[in-house]
Amino acid sequence: MAKSAAKKKPAAAFAAGDDESARGRLLNAATHLFCKNGINATGIDAIIDEAGTAKTTLYKLFGSKTNLVHAVLENEGKQWREWFIGAIEAGGGDPQTKLTRIFPALKIWFAEDRFYGCPFINAVAEHDKDQKQFRNIALKHKKVVLAHIEKLAAEMGAVEPASLAHQLALLIDGAIVAAMVSCDPCVADTAGLAAGNLFAPSKVKKPKRTAGPTEQLVAV
């Protein structure tokens, strides 16, 4: 019998491939269940049942449920940022045009069947407020989003781009929570109207105040 020209894969390669597949299934299952039902309400058994893996596989790949939560948040954050930045940058245009795409993009997200709010807001809200582990991951995610919005605000000509970025971020967070509670994607339209009112004033330089007689006395 002639020998096959194809070389057999080493057992280690098969094992690595199986681990990668199991890791992906566990991440997908945990992401869905954490977002839909909450982190505290989701047990390990529910995750492995949906992922179709063994409990030993979960602990082998992640070590603990807490580590799995961290992995889910890191993965979700990366995917969301890529989608969000891609959505506002798509089609080009000037910086203000890109910023006006924020809330139409969010409206599309809000209308998805699997929209369960922001996983970072949910994670922080679920846990003891003295715990910093999830708050730190959430802040890391927010800093990346804020940095991109601030960059566009500066390019648009905002006098205080950081301030405008934070105002827009507050509208984003408010719209996400409102959409989750109301199940109404149209809250994004209202947030977009409020955002539109920020752009023109953000470009106006505030006049320096001239101290009056009373203020001069106080200063002395």
Side-chain angles (χ1 to χ4, degrees):
M1 186 181 290
K3 290 183 179 179
S4 172
K7 292 181 180 179
K8 289 185 177 180
K9 270 190 176 181
F14 279 115
D18 288 345
D19 283 353
E20 192 61 32
S21 173
R23 179 182 173 82
R25 295 200 307 277
L26 285 164
L27 275 176
N28 288 337
T31 299
H32 176 222
L33 294 173
F34 289 160
C35 290
K36 182 176 184 289
N37 302 325
I39 294 169
N40 291 329
T42 301
I44 293 295
D45 289 340
I47 296 169
I48 61 175
D49 184 59
E50 178 153 327
T53 64
K55 188 177 292 186
T56 52
T57 302
L58 185 150
Y59 286 111
K60 173 189 172 185
L61 295 173
F62 295 99
S64 67
K65 179 183 174 182
T66 299
N67 289 344
L68 176 58
V69 174
H70 286 188
V72 164
L73 292 176
E74 293 285 359
N75 187 60
E76 274 293 279
K78 181 175 182 294
Q79 290 189 18
W80 192 90
R81 290 191 300 272
E82 288 176 353
W83 164 78
F84 177 74
I85 291 172
I88 63 178
E89 291 287 342
D94 59 52
Q96 184 168 324
T97 298
K98 293 176 182 179
L99 289 173
T100 59
R101 293 192 184 116
I102 289 175
F103 295 95
L106 291 180
K107 186 177 182 179
I108 293 171
W109 179 38
F110 296 164
E112 292 179 0
D113 290 337
R114 284 196 172 192
F115 170 71
Y116 303 117
C118 170
F120 298 97
I121 293 174
N122 296 346
V124 173
E126 267 195 75
H127 292 83
D128 188 329
K129 300 307 173 283
D130 290 332
Q131 286 188 5
K132 295 182 180 178
Q133 52 179 337
F134 299 127
R135 181 174 283 105
N136 288 339
I137 297 174
L139 288 173
K140 179 181 172 185
H141 165 75
K142 275 202 164 302
K143 283 179 181 177
V144 178
V145 176
L146 270 171
H148 193 78
I149 295 174
E150 184 177 340
K151 171 178 169 290
L152 291 175
E155 292 172 355
M156 183 189 76
V159 177
E160 297 178 358
S163 176
L164 177 59
H166 277 87
Q167 291 175 72
L168 292 172
L170 284 172
L171 288 171
I172 290 170
D173 286 347
I176 291 171
V177 173
M180 180 178 64
V181 172
S182 67
C183 296
D184 181 5
C186 292
V187 298
D189 296 332
T190 304
L193 287 172
N197 292 329
L198 298 174
F199 295 137
S202 73
K203 299 177 185 179
V204 178
K205 290 185 178 180
K206 296 178 182 178
K208 292 182 179 179
R209 290 181 61 191
T210 303
T214 304
E215 291 173 320
Q216 288 173 353
L217 287 173
V218 172
V220 172

